Amino acid sequence: MTPIPATSPTLRTGRLLLERYTPADEEDFVALFQDTRVSRWMGDGPASEAEDRALFGRVFTRVYAEERFDVWAVRREGRLVGHAEIKWTEQVGGHEIIYALAPGAWGQGLGLELARAVVSYGFDTLGLTEVHATVAEPNKASLVLLDRLGFEHVRDITEEDGSTTRVLTCACRPGDDAGGTASGVRAS
């Protein structure tokens, strides 16, 4: 499949603003990814500060510059509170959403709002017919959140360390069957 060109437009929800990172976001980005309560669920887990700084740099030099995929800084009331992406991955054979919130933003329904916005963007803007997510089996909060959005468990991946990653797929608009709607997500 050919990747869909990325433009990372600004998205707005009731309480969140998803927009492209700026160079001024580096310290907050690194702080988010250095917090092991967050990074333990992301990619291969916690990385060194130097690796997270290099990752931030690649957002500009590769992801945005080459329009590889959509990636956003997630803000609430002007402050960086999270990170989000949607991109094609071989692991799921389709577009996968990735999202993270700083612990200070947990427990307020913002994760659901964030995931719903990214999934809606996948369906409404990218024209996808399904969206995927991969979640470490112990990450119960994300599994519950994605279930609420209509994601279904399709298979498990056994990782090299013996842990299990759940592969989930949503073939419906967020909230179609889960009691919510995608309305209120605006691209600009």
Side-chain angles (χ1 to χ4, degrees):
M1 175 175 189
T2 304
I4 297 168
T7 57
S8 301
T10 299
L11 305 178
R12 299 174 197 284
T13 71
R15 299 178 291 170
L16 300 172
L17 174 69
L18 285 70
E19 63 183 358
R20 291 169 67 109
Y21 281 100
T22 69
D25 291 321
E26 183 172 0
E27 295 307 317
D28 290 333
F29 176 95
V30 171
L32 177 69
F33 279 72
Q34 284 292 292
D35 189 323
T36 56
R37 295 170 293 177
V38 175
S39 62
R40 72 182 182 151
W41 305 120
M42 308 247 340
D44 293 327
S48 71
E49 181 178 335
E51 290 170 316
D52 287 339
R53 287 189 188 283
L55 175 62
F56 184 76
R58 287 192 304 275
V59 167
F60 296 95
T61 62
R62 300 196 66 198
V63 177
Y64 291 155
E66 298 172 12
E67 293 188 339
R68 288 184 166 212
F69 54 89
D70 292 294
V71 60
W72 296 276
V74 179
R75 302 184 198 285
R76 182 171 188 209
E77 299 173 352
R79 298 189 59 195
L80 186 101
V81 296
H83 172 88
E85 306 174 14
I86 187 167
K87 63 183 177 181
W88 170 267
T89 64
E90 289 291 329
Q91 186 175 40
V92 300
H95 280 76
E96 178 179 359
I97 64 166
I98 297 161
Y99 58 91
L101 286 173
W106 293 355
Q108 302 169 46
L110 295 173
L112 185 64
E113 192 170 320
L114 173 57
R116 181 177 284 133
V118 178
V119 171
S120 294
Y121 174 79
F123 286 126
D124 299 337
T125 302
L126 299 181
L128 303 175
T129 58
E130 60 184 19
V131 176
H132 308 276
T134 56
V135 180
E137 185 177 39
N139 189 348
K140 301 301 184 201
S142 273
L143 291 170
V144 167
L145 181 152
L146 293 168
D147 181 66
R148 289 184 61 196
L149 286 177
F151 278 77
E152 295 181 4
H153 175 242
V154 292
R155 66 183 166 95
D156 289 335
I157 299 169
T158 301
E159 303 293 350
E160 289 181 16
D161 65 1
S163 65
T164 300
T165 297
R166 301 266 166 155
V167 177
L168 309 160
T169 299
C170 181
C172 63
R173 298 285 190 277
D176 281 356
D177 299 314
T181 67
S183 63
V185 177
R186 300 177 308 280
S188 44

